[in-house]
Amino acid sequence: VQLQASGGGLVQAGGSLRLSCAPSGRAFNTYAAAWFRQAPGKEREFVAAISWTGSTSYLADFAKGRFTISRDNAKNTVYLQMNNLKPDDTAVYYCAGSRAPVVEVPRCMEFDYWNYWGQGTLVTVSS
C-alpha cells in the first residue's frame, strides 16, 4: 500500500492546518492509521493513531487539546486536524497504516507497529 500525505504548508503560530492521507492502489478502510512527525535534527515521533472504524483514537500528550485524528472510510482518507499550531510543531508529518485494524496502546507509538508509510508532508509554523 502506497500512502500519500498532503495538506502541509506554511502557517503562522496559532493557525490551523488539516493533513490528509490516502492510499494508492487499494482500500485503506480496514487498516488502523497513524501520524508521526520528524522535526529537523530530531527523531521521528508518534502523533496520533486511529482504529479502522474510527471508534478508537489515541494522541500523544503534546497533541491533546490541539490535534484531532479522524477518518472518512467512504473517501478512503485519514485526517489530522491541527489547531493552535506552535513553532515546535514544525516537522515533516508522515502517515502510516497497519494491517492490524485496532490501535494497541502503547504499541501503536512504536515504528514497527506500522506496516506502510507515506512520503511525508512538510508543516512549517512561523512565530
Side-chain angles (χ1 to χ4, degrees):
V1 177
Q2 296 287 334
L3 301 178
Q4 185 77 25
S6 62
L10 175 63
V11 64
Q12 289 188 331
S16 298
L17 282 175
R18 188 177 77 161
L19 307 183
S20 299
C21 175
S24 60
R26 65 180 297 170
F28 193 36
N29 54 9
T30 60
Y31 294 178
W35 290 94
F36 284 73
R37 70 183 187 182
Q38 187 166 17
K42 296 186 178 181
E43 296 185 350
R44 193 173 299 191
E45 64 178 345
F46 172 82
V47 178
I50 190 166
S51 63
W52 77 274
T53 63
S55 61
T56 303
S57 62
Y58 181 70
L59 295 167
D61 286 345
F62 68 80
K64 292 176 181 176
R66 299 191 299 128
F67 295 3
T68 303
I69 187 170
S70 63
R71 68 191 304 159
D72 184 339
N73 284 340
K75 296 182 178 179
N76 214 23
T77 302
V78 175
Y79 303 100
L80 183 68
Q81 177 68 42
M82 304 185 294
N83 299 326
N84 191 22
L85 283 162
K86 304 175 181 180
D88 284 350
D89 294 318
T90 295
V92 177
Y93 284 72
Y94 299 89
C95 62
S98 172
R99 289 189 289 268
V102 298
V103 172
E104 300 177 21
V105 179
R107 278 280 290 126
C108 66
M109 301 177 69
E110 300 172 9
F111 303 146
D112 63 0
Y113 187 84
W114 304 96
N115 306 108
Y116 310 106
W117 292 87
Q119 87 292 354
T121 185
L122 177 62
V123 172
T124 303
V125 184
S126 64
S127 58

